[in-house]
Amino acid sequence: LYLNLMGSSNNTVELSGKAMYEKEVVFTPFSRSHFIIAKTFASSLFGRYELGAHLAIEKGEQQYLKMKGGIVWAQTLWFHRCLCVFAMARANKTKERKYMAQAKRIHKELTNSLKNKNLNVLHYVSLLNAEKAALKQKRNQEDNVRKLYNDAINMSARGGYVHDAALAQERFADYLLSSVGDYEEAKYHIEGAIQRYTNWGAMGVV
């Protein structure tokens, strides 16, 4: 995954190289859970949201991937899963209901985790709030959606989560292009996302 993000591999979401070839690996349930995490991270960061959404809906290894009592990366995994299904709900209107059902469930769990004083998910919930608002936006609510995205960007940046701030800018730019038609501000945020990803060392993403 790191080589993919750094641009040192020809692959983006395929986790194959000298050490392993993903289609030939025989996984244990525990090792497969780590594979799913890496695959989901790659899907989210490289914009392969359909694959990430498929992995989110697919069942398996739940004892390791559950949000409470799972492995240490579980909440980060569920954030990226939720982002992927929100993105697909925006992109694929014919299957919006299917994706929204999954997104709402994960979003609620992360929000409850925040209410239970888990501040590590604060910037995750902030971006997911913006994604949800963008999907449910009604007339004259555009300013609210813009504020939520800007809050998510600033919160991630202040917390030192450079890659998450980049992802928030990327998703904001997508919203501005697809739902608002504000090409000038979208360009600003795309350039900002590229700069943040570059600072993070993820040349493969840019």
Side-chain angles (χ1 to χ4, degrees), residues 126 146-156 158:
S126 183
R146 287 175 182 265
K147 181 181 182 304
L148 288 170
Y149 273 115
N150 279 313
D151 286 348
I153 294 163
N154 293 332
M155 197 172 296
S156 296
R158 286 199 304 268

Side-chain angles (χ1 to χ4, degrees), residues 4 12 48 55 62 66 70 75 78 83 92 95 108 125 146 149 153 158-159 162 180 184 190 198 203:
N4 290 15
T12 53
R48 294 285 299 278
L55 291 170
Q62 297 305 313
K66 60 186 178 181
Q75 291 177 336
W78 285 99
L83 186 71
N92 191 334
K95 295 184 179 180
K108 183 178 179 180
V125 173
R146 287 175 182 265
Y149 273 115
I153 294 163
R158 286 199 304 268
V162 178
V180 181
E184 193 64 31
I190 289 172
T198 301
M203 299 305 296

Side-chain angles (χ1 to χ4, degrees), residues 19 36 43 50 53 70 89 95 116 124 150 160 192 202:
I36 289 173
S43 299
E50 187 171 7
K95 295 184 179 180
N116 289 329
Y124 291 158
N150 279 313

